[in-house]
Amino acid sequence: MRIILHVDLDAFFASVEQREHPEYRGLPVVVGANPKGGKGRGVVSTASYEARKYGIHSGMPISKAYKLCPNAIFLPVNFSLYEKVSSRIMNILREHADKFEQVSIDEAFLDVSKRVKDFDQARQLAILIKEKIWESENLTCSIGIGPNKLIAKIASGFKKPDGLTVVRPEEVEKFLSPLPVEEIPGIGKKTKKILNEMGIKTIGDLAKTNVSLLIEKFGKIGIFFHLASHGIDESEVEEEYEIKSLGREHTFEKDMEDVLFIHKTLESLAKEVWEELKRENLTYRTITVKVRYEDFETHTHSKTLNFQTDSLEEMIKAGKELLEPFLYSEKRIRLIGIRVSKLKEERIKKLK
Ligand code: TTP
Ligand code: MG
């Protein structure tokens, strides 16, 4: 049995600003583009919970946010500050995990299966983590605890801000079934609309839907929706990259949704990695793909082959396979990367 924590900071950018400027505490704060008296272009990065009461949220045009609450405190994005705070918090989190995976600037998974003996101990650990973050950074977070990443992630969003939600394996179905389908990561506005039109509103409705119908409507990703609706998720908490590895990344000049172009880019990155492998006389066994969306949410996904290889074809095939689920998001892709690890010197293979 696994025990996974998902930690997500509350209104992260806005909370950092409120901490830096105590006079903004308790007031509506909107971080993002300049509203220019309602004529500004660009969007809201995030809003404090006080500002959310006016209906302001991430991704909303800044002009609309201004209309909803002209008296809010509008601040520019100070990304380098948030990154510094984030990396200190990630260091705290890393210390408390057997396996650690940072997902975005304010979000991480912790696999604590080895260091706690049950969900009660996991709850105690989560309380300790919250206290540490509060003491050292004066910030609150919400934590979800579950038997896998999917449940932990949904649980962390269940009660926000400053929430702590524990979902034990035997509670998974009861927990998921009343939630709206869009709580499942990967189900965005478009998919939600199609599901709702099919009469599927809650995760419970989705769980009762025949998987072949979902595949017919959505293709392969339908299988993922089916498994997710039953709370099944086998994916591991993955340390970003192993140290002994070779990789390449590419940031697109403009955020990208063209699948063909993304595939082309992946192929050329793989080729560069492969050329370096050849130079170093190495074979690999694990392929990791990294995807960063326009809002900086970052994912890595790995596959380990059951043989060492130096094949470029194999690398590209696995890379595309790993990339596939990320191409269905409604968000545009900002960066992709490919990395190979579990490296061995080819010489050893030849001697065998
Ligand atoms: P989130 O964790 O999605 O949001 P949040 O931390 O502001 O609020 P919540 O309490 O609901 O977790 O995103 C983390 C930060 O990433 C957020 O503070 C600002 C940034 N961000 C954007 O810049 N654009 C976006 O569209 C989103 C969703 C987030
Ligand atoms: Mg957050």
Side-chain angles (χ1 to χ4, degrees):
M1 187 193 59
R2 294 189 295 158
I3 303 182
I4 312 290
L5 269 61
H6 180 259
V7 182
D8 189 322
L9 277 295
D10 300 320
F12 183 50
F13 295 3
S15 303
V16 173
E17 295 294 349
Q18 285 177 320
R19 174 192 87 175
E20 299 294 300
H21 308 273
E23 67 275 21
Y24 298 161
R25 287 223 171 120
L27 299 177
V29 170
V30 179
V31 180
N34 186 337
K36 296 189 180 153
K39 294 194 181 66
R41 297 176 39 132
V43 297
V44 173
S45 279
T46 197
S48 70
Y49 278 79
E50 296 84 356
R52 292 182 197 193
K53 288 190 194 136
Y54 294 85
I56 300 172
H57 58 77
S58 296
M60 170 183 277
I62 198 77
S63 54
K64 184 163 179 207
Y66 186 84
K67 231 180 252 159
L68 289 170
C69 184
N71 295 327
I73 294 150
F74 289 90
L75 301 169
V77 180
N78 184 350
F79 207 75
S80 65
L81 169 65
Y82 315 142
E83 277 202 307
K84 271 184 216 132
V85 177
S86 164
S87 83
R88 290 198 297 263
I89 292 175
M90 293 302 154
N91 286 339
I92 297 176
L93 296 179
R94 196 176 281 112
E95 265 177 40
H96 293 285
D98 307 322
K99 282 196 272 177
F100 175 78
E101 177 182 348
Q102 182 174 352
V103 184
S104 76
I105 190 162
D106 82 328
E107 214 184 312
F109 288 106
L110 285 66
D111 187 327
V112 299
S113 313
K114 285 198 190 127
R115 63 181 61 205
V116 301
K117 73 171 201 300
D118 56 25
F119 281 78
D120 286 329
Q121 280 194 359
R123 175 193 288 275
Q124 290 312 313
L125 178 63
I127 292 170
L128 177 86
I129 289 173
K130 278 160 141 313
E131 282 170 359
K132 282 203 173 167
I133 294 176
W134 178 254
E135 277 161 20
S136 59
E137 297 293 336
N138 243 274
L139 293 170
T140 63
C141 64
S142 297
I143 301 185
I145 305 177
N148 59 44
K149 285 165 79 175
L150 173 81
I151 302 297
K153 162 97 184 166
I154 298 176
S156 75
F158 188 69
K159 198 170 156 281
K160 253 187 170 289
D162 204 11
L164 173 52
T165 304
V166 183
V167 182
R168 291 153 205 272
E170 65 273 17
E171 297 165 337
V172 164
E173 211 181 306
K174 200 177 82 209
F175 171 70
L176 288 181
S177 111
L179 300 177
V181 284
E182 63 269 26
E183 285 286 319
I184 293 178
I187 299 192
K189 272 192 218 124
K190 286 183 224 157
T191 311
K192 169 192 152 98
K193 190 160 173 272
I194 301 171
L195 286 170
N196 288 356
E197 281 164 6
M198 294 163 72
I200 302 164
K201 296 223 161 65
T202 65
I203 298 182
D205 297 337
L206 187 59
K208 279 186 241 139
T209 308
N210 199 312
V211 62
S212 51
L213 180 63
L214 296 175
I215 296 170
E216 197 182 297
K217 284 268 177 192
F218 302 102
K220 253 202 240 163
I221 195 96
I223 302 172
F224 165 75
F225 295 161
H226 172 76
L227 292 173
S229 72
H230 289 279
I232 300 168
D233 172 25
E234 311 258 294
S235 66
E236 297 282 328
V237 172
E238 316 217 31
E239 303 279 340
E240 179 126 345
Y241 284 143
E242 285 182 38
I243 303 158
K244 274 205 79 185
S245 64
L246 284 176
R248 288 280 186 282
E249 298 182 358
H250 177 78
T251 304
F252 294 109
E253 264 165 41
K254 65 184 204 313
D255 298 335
M256 189 47 66
E257 53 184 352
D258 179 344
V259 172
L260 271 180
F261 191 75
I262 293 172
H263 275 166
K264 277 249 151 4
T265 308
L266 183 83
E267 282 169 20
S268 76
L269 291 173
K271 181 130 189 291
E272 283 181 39
V273 171
W274 177 77
E275 279 163 0
E276 193 167 341
L277 271 176
K278 290 271 133 196
R279 272 198 300 277
E280 306 284 334
N281 203 27
L282 293 166
T283 61
Y284 67 91
R285 204 151 77 82
T286 297
I287 305 105
T288 303
V289 156
K290 173 169 169 179
V291 174
R292 176 167 293 147
Y293 290 116
E294 55 190 335
D295 60 1
F296 286 88
E297 184 183 310
T298 306
H299 296 269
T300 61
H301 230 163
S302 301
K303 175 179 176 166
T304 299
L305 307 170
N306 39 27
F307 49 89
Q308 289 291 135
T309 180
D310 60 357
S311 159
L312 172 61
E313 219 171 82
E314 204 66 63
M315 197 192 299
I316 292 174
K317 189 170 138 241
K320 285 187 180 167
E321 212 176 287
L322 291 164
L323 198 59
E324 167 116 340
F326 300 113
L327 301 176
Y328 293 96
S329 169
E330 279 148 20
K331 290 189 255 183
R332 287 157 187 262
I333 291 177
R334 181 185 166 80
L335 169 151
I336 61 167
I338 186 161
R339 182 163 291 270
V340 292
S341 54
K342 295 210 194 297
L343 305 178
K344 273 196 185 144
E345 280 202 55
E346 182 145 46
R347 189 164 46 86
I348 299 169
K349 196 180 91 180
K350 280 183 184 149
L351 285 175
K352 269 191 194 159

